[in-house]
Amino acid sequence: MTKQINWYKWIFAGLVMVSLGIYFTIALRHSANIGISVRQQHGQWIITRILSHSAGDNISVAVGDQLLQIDGNDPGKVSSVQRMLLVNHASKLTILRDGHQQVISLASHPFLSTYWILLAVSLSVILITVLILFWRRQSLQERHFENFMLFFAIALVALIPSSQGIILGRIILVAFLSLIPMMVRKMLVSPKINSFLGWLTLIYTYLNPLLYIAFVLGWLPAWYWLADYLNDWGSFFLPLVLVILVFLEGIQKGQERVSRVNFSLIFLTSLIPLYLLYLYPLKWPPQHSFLNVAAFLLVPIICLLHILIVNRSLSNSYRRVRGYAQGYLLVLTTTIMALIINLGRGLPLWLVTAYALMLMIAVAPVYQEVFALIAGFDSRHQRLELFDAVENEREQVALTIHDTAIQNLILMKKQFERASPEDNRQKLLDTMDDLIHELRDLCNRVYPMLISDLGVANTIRQMIDHLQQTWPIEIQFQDHSGGQLDQLSDRQANFVLRSLQEMLINSVKHGQANQAWVQVTRNQKSLTITCQDNGTFQKHSQTSGHYGLTTIKQKLNLLGGSLVIQTYPRTEIAMMIPLESEEESNGKDRFN
C-alpha cells in the first residue's frame, strides 16, 4: 500500500527543529562542557576519564586526580554526578593532586557558529528528502527512508549540544543511534519482525533510549556498570554490532539485492575516527573534536541512499536520469574529500593517506555501480540512435516502394483497363522491365546480394559502374588493401558498400561533383576507406537521405570505427574500420 508524502509530519518536524535550535542556541551561549567522568572510591571522587576537546582536556586536570569541589559544592551533591557520574558544566573545580590542592577556573567556549551551520544542514536534509519524494505515491520502503532522514535531521540539530553535555541533546543523539539498526534492517532486509535478531533489534531500539532517560533523570541508581553501558559501549558499540549482524542476516536469508555494496563495512570504516580519535583516544595520534569525527557518519548515509536506489526501494532515482547519477558522485566525492582534509589537520600524512585508502576501498563498489549506470545511459542512447536509424531506413524503403514500384503497377493496371493487351504488349513489357530493375536496385540498396558471389572489391566496382551509368559522375577506384577488403565480415562488407554508395550519391546530388576518387588502404589493425570529390560539401547532406553521414557515423561507432570529414581543399570522407579476427566475426554472425 502506498501513500503520498505526509506534509503535516514534515512541517511539524521543521517546527520542532526550529524550537530545538532556539533552545540549544541559548544553552550553548553559557556552555562549557567539562567532559570528566568520575567514580567514588573509598569515599573520594576520582577522575577516571577526560573527553577529548572538552574543557577538561584543555586544563591541568589528569586522570587519577581527586575531585574535591565543583563550583564550591561537594561533587556528590551535583546532579550530573549523582545521575550520570559526569561533570558537564562548571566554572571552577577544586582538585587534589599529590597532596596539593588546586583551584582551576574554566572559561566558556561556545560553538554557536558551527552549530548554526549544522542547523542549516539539517534543514537542507529535510528539503532534499522532500524533493526526492515530492508528490510521489510512496512505497513502504520509501516511508522508512523518509522517517530515517527525519530522525537524522533532528540528530544533526542535537549533535553539538550533545558534545557539550546538554542533556536533551544527548537524549536525542542516543535515541538516534539506538534507532539506526532497526531502520537499516527495515530498509535493507525486511520491514517485518520475523527473526530473533529482528526482535533483539526492536527491543534495543526502544529499551536503550528509555534506560538513558531514566538514568539521567535519576530514576535509576548510579551504578558504575550502567553508566559505562549508557555513556559508552551500549550507545556507541552496540549499534555498530547490530548493523553488521543485520547486514549478515540479509545475506544469510538470500535477500535479493541488486546492489553489492557492503554497507556494514562502510559503516564500520566511517566509525574508526570516532572510536580512535574521540571515544577511546590513543596517546598518539592527537585527538579530534567530536564534530570532526562524527561527521564521517555522512558517508554511510549517502551510500545507504545509493543502495536503496539501486535496489529499487526508492523509485524517484538517478537510475533514469544521467545527471542525477553524476550529481550523486559529486556529492559523495566532495563529502569524502572535505572530511579527509579536515581529518588531516594535526595528523601525519601517511596516517591520513592510509585511512583514506581504507575508506575508498569500502566505498569503491558504490563508484563501480554508479559508473556502470552512467555507462548504461550511453548504451541506451546508442541503442536509441540505432533504432532511429533502422526506422529511418524502413521509412525510406516504404517510400521508395510506394513512389516507384506501386505507382508503376497502378499505371500498368490502368493501361490494361484502357486498351487491349495486343496494342500495348511491348509497352507493358518495357514497364515491367523497369519495375523489375527498380525492385532489384532497391534490394541491393537494402542488402547487396552480390557480395558473397563477387567479393567486396568487385561488388564495389560493379556498384561504381552502375552509378556512372545513372549519374553524371566519373569515379576512380583503387584497392590497396592486399585482399583484406574481401576478408571483411558480412556485416562490415554490407556496411562499407551501402556507405560508399550513399556518399557517392550525395557527392552528385548535394555537392554537384562530377569527379570522385575511392581508395582503400590498410594497416595492421584497420582498413581506411577514403572517398574524395570535387564538389562542395553541404551540411544538410549529413542527415539527408535514408543513410546519411550521421547514420554512417553512428554505425561506425557501433563497429568500433570512426569517421573523419575534411572539407578543404577537397571534400574528403574517411571511414576507419577495425579488422575482426575470425573468431570475433563468427561469434558475432551467430547472433545476427
Side-chain angles (χ1 to χ4, degrees), residues 501-516:
Q501 182 178 6
E502 187 67 24
M503 287 188 287
L504 291 170
I505 292 176
N506 284 342
S507 298
V508 184
K509 291 177 61 176
H510 304 294
Q512 305 301 319
N514 55 24
Q515 285 185 315

Side-chain angles (χ1 to χ4, degrees), residues 22 30 83 119 123 130 202 216 221 261 263 302 324 340 367 375 388 399 430 439 466 500-501 503-504 533 547 570 575:
I22 295 173
H30 310 287
R83 293 179 297 185
L119 182 60
L123 293 174
V130 170
L202 180 65
V216 299
V261 176
F263 179 75
I302 295 175
Y324 290 173
I340 293 297
Y367 282 91
D388 290 337
L399 289 173
D430 293 339
L439 290 174
H466 176 71
L500 272 178
Q501 182 178 6
M503 287 188 287
L504 291 170
D533 64 63
Y547 205 69
R570 287 180 174 178
M575 298 185 297

Side-chain angles (χ1 to χ4, degrees), residues 138-207:
Q138 294 181 37
S139 66
L140 186 60
Q141 298 279 19
E142 286 174 324
R143 276 186 281 162
H144 291 318
F145 173 74
E146 176 188 353
N147 293 332
F148 178 79
M149 296 306 293
L150 172 61
F151 290 128
F152 174 63
I154 295 176
L156 284 178
V157 177
L159 189 60
I160 288 182
S162 171
S163 68
Q164 294 304 301
I166 298 175
I167 299 301
L168 181 58
R170 288 192 172 180
I171 291 175
I172 294 174
L173 186 62
V174 169
F176 174 70
L177 293 175
S178 304
L179 183 71
I180 288 178
M182 176 55 64
M183 295 304 297
V184 170
R185 188 181 187 280
K186 287 185 175 182
M187 288 185 289
L188 296 184
V189 180
S190 172
K192 298 180 179 179
I193 309 300
N194 51 10
S195 66
F196 172 76
L197 182 61
W199 284 106
L200 181 64
T201 305
L202 180 65
I203 292 172
Y204 173 79
T205 298
Y206 289 102
L207 182 60

Side-chain angles (χ1 to χ4, degrees), residues 216-227:
V216 299
L217 293 180
W219 297 347
L220 295 176
W223 293 321
Y224 297 140
W225 65 268
L226 187 58

Side-chain angles (χ1 to χ4, degrees), residues 414-430:
K414 289 182 179 180
Q415 288 175 347
F416 269 117
E417 291 173 350
R418 290 176 183 175
S420 62
E422 291 79 6
D423 296 334
N424 295 278
R425 184 173 184 274
Q426 187 59 43
K427 190 175 181 179
L428 291 174
L429 289 175
D430 293 339

Side-chain angles (χ1 to χ4, degrees), residues 11-29:
I11 293 173
F12 177 74
L15 293 176
V16 168
M17 283 196 294
V18 171
S19 302
L20 288 175
I22 295 173
Y23 169 76
F24 287 141
T25 298
I26 296 173
L28 286 171
R29 286 183 180 274

Side-chain angles (χ1 to χ4, degrees), residues 288-356:
H288 271 251
S289 68
F290 177 74
L291 181 60
N292 288 346
V293 294
F296 276 88
L297 287 174
L298 288 172
V299 176
I301 290 175
I302 295 175
C303 293
L304 176 64
L305 176 63
H306 163 80
I307 296 172
L308 294 175
I309 289 174
V310 173
N311 287 344
R312 294 176 174 82
S313 298
L314 291 179
S315 55
N316 191 356
S317 64
Y318 54 60
R319 289 185 292 110
R320 299 184 182 91
V321 183
R322 176 179 181 145
Y324 290 173
Q326 293 173 334
Y328 177 85
L329 283 181
L330 180 63
V331 171
L332 177 60
T333 304
T334 304
T335 301
I336 293 176
M337 289 179 60
L339 293 173
I340 293 297
I341 291 172
N342 188 53
L343 186 68
R345 298 174 182 176
L347 292 179
L349 179 61
W350 68 266
L351 185 60
V352 177
T353 303
Y355 176 71

